[in-house]
Amino acid sequence: MRDASMNPVLSSRLRQGFYRLFDVTCAAVGLLFLLPVLAALAVLILRDDGSPVLFSQTRVGRNGKPFRIWKFRTMRAGNHGYIITAAGEARITRVGSKLRRLKLDELPQLFNVLKGDMSLVGPRPEVPEYVELETPIWQAVLQARPGVTDLASLLYRDEEKLLSTSGDPNVLYRARVLPAKLTLNLEYLRSRSFPRDLRLIILTIRYCLFPKQFDPDLIKRTLGVGVLT
């Protein structure tokens, strides 16, 4: 007698197709409704520090494939320094500091979602300098399409403040922050579901609008996360 259950490969393709449809629909609708906001932010950046309005950078995507990520520019043109950014750095513009605090600089990544380089939810893509393609944990994390938000970035939304406590933010990021974020990414991916993704998106929006209400314990309870590193 034939097994009536759905073929695993077909089930996986249907799930991926559903997620992609959800991503494209939400990104398109979001860009449509946020168009006045995007225009206003562009004007603020131009008035504060001139052009360019957008900033792009190479990141490592799904299966190790590089792509260009887009953000609103929050640092002074031609700045130099660490790849990562700590709070209070002089290279961050006046408007840029506000955009970073509210995570509004990430809004142009909705175009990355439409293009297919990113998803709404998925491990945040890293710069090539921090990615170790030969290690098992990176191989596991990079099986997923990178996202605009994820559990790790939500719990580490005050990452820049943490990095500002170190004399060498790059060392702190490599030794402590990045390993913890990779562990969180892997934990989330192993038990990922569409309802959990929806809750994650809602929490992300909530703390972007009301950053002072940030509550890591509430995030863990809401998303059913266990003991975290």
Side-chain angles (χ1 to χ4, degrees):
M1 185 175 179
R2 292 185 60 184
D3 187 357
S5 62
M6 184 177 294
N7 183 292
V9 175
L10 178 59
S11 177
S12 176
R13 288 178 178 174
L14 288 175
R15 183 169 60 253
Q16 291 178 20
F18 172 76
Y19 271 105
R20 181 63 187 145
L21 177 62
F22 177 76
D23 284 342
V24 170
T25 301
C26 290
V29 173
L31 285 170
L32 179 63
F33 280 95
L34 289 172
L35 189 58
V37 176
L38 297 175
L41 294 178
V43 170
L44 287 175
I45 293 169
L46 286 171
R47 292 183 61 182
D48 183 50
D49 196 56
S51 62
V53 168
L54 296 177
F55 164 79
S56 70
Q57 187 181 51
T58 299
R59 297 291 179 96
V60 179
R62 190 176 189 181
N63 297 321
K65 180 181 178 181
F67 72 98
R68 302 294 294 182
I69 196 172
W70 292 94
K71 295 185 177 187
F72 278 122
R73 184 172 64 86
T74 59
M75 297 188 187
R76 305 190 187 283
N79 75 84
H80 299 283
Y82 291 117
I83 299 173
I84 55 174
T85 309
E89 290 192 23
R91 56 182 177 162
I92 301 176
T93 65
R94 180 177 59 86
V95 168
S97 65
K98 295 180 175 61
L99 297 184
R100 296 176 77 93
R101 182 170 62 87
L102 299 175
K103 306 300 181 183
L104 294 176
D105 58 317
E106 311 284 359
L107 288 178
Q109 287 160 42
L110 292 175
F111 288 106
N112 285 115
V113 174
L114 285 180
K115 186 180 177 183
D117 292 327
M118 297 179 67
S119 181
L120 291 177
V121 176
R124 285 294 296 169
E126 283 287 351
V127 294
E129 289 83 351
Y130 290 136
V131 177
E132 300 176 359
L133 294 173
E134 70 280 0
T135 60
I137 192 167
W138 271 111
Q139 291 172 4
V141 168
L142 290 175
Q143 289 181 20
R145 196 190 307 268
V148 177
T149 186
D150 68 348
L151 174 62
S153 61
L154 187 56
L155 286 173
Y156 276 86
R157 67 168 285 113
D158 291 331
E159 174 185 306
E160 292 185 3
K161 291 182 180 179
L162 173 63
L163 295 175
S164 68
T165 64
S166 172
D168 192 335
N170 182 63
V171 171
L172 177 59
Y173 187 76
R174 286 182 181 274
R176 177 180 169 187
V177 177
L178 182 55
K181 290 169 74 173
L182 286 172
T183 300
L184 287 168
N185 283 328
L186 196 56
E187 179 178 351
Y188 188 85
L189 290 173
R190 284 172 173 170
S191 56
R192 183 179 184 180
S193 68
F194 184 66
R196 292 184 77 199
D197 279 5
L198 286 180
R199 291 195 293 269
L200 179 57
I201 292 171
I202 292 171
L203 286 169
T204 298
I205 295 173
R206 172 181 176 176
Y207 293 125
C208 285
L209 295 175
F210 308 103
K212 292 183 179 180
Q213 296 181 6
F214 179 60
D215 185 347
D217 291 330
L218 176 61
I219 294 172
K220 296 173 186 178
R221 291 196 304 271
T222 303
L223 297 177
V225 177
V227 178
L228 304 176
T229 303

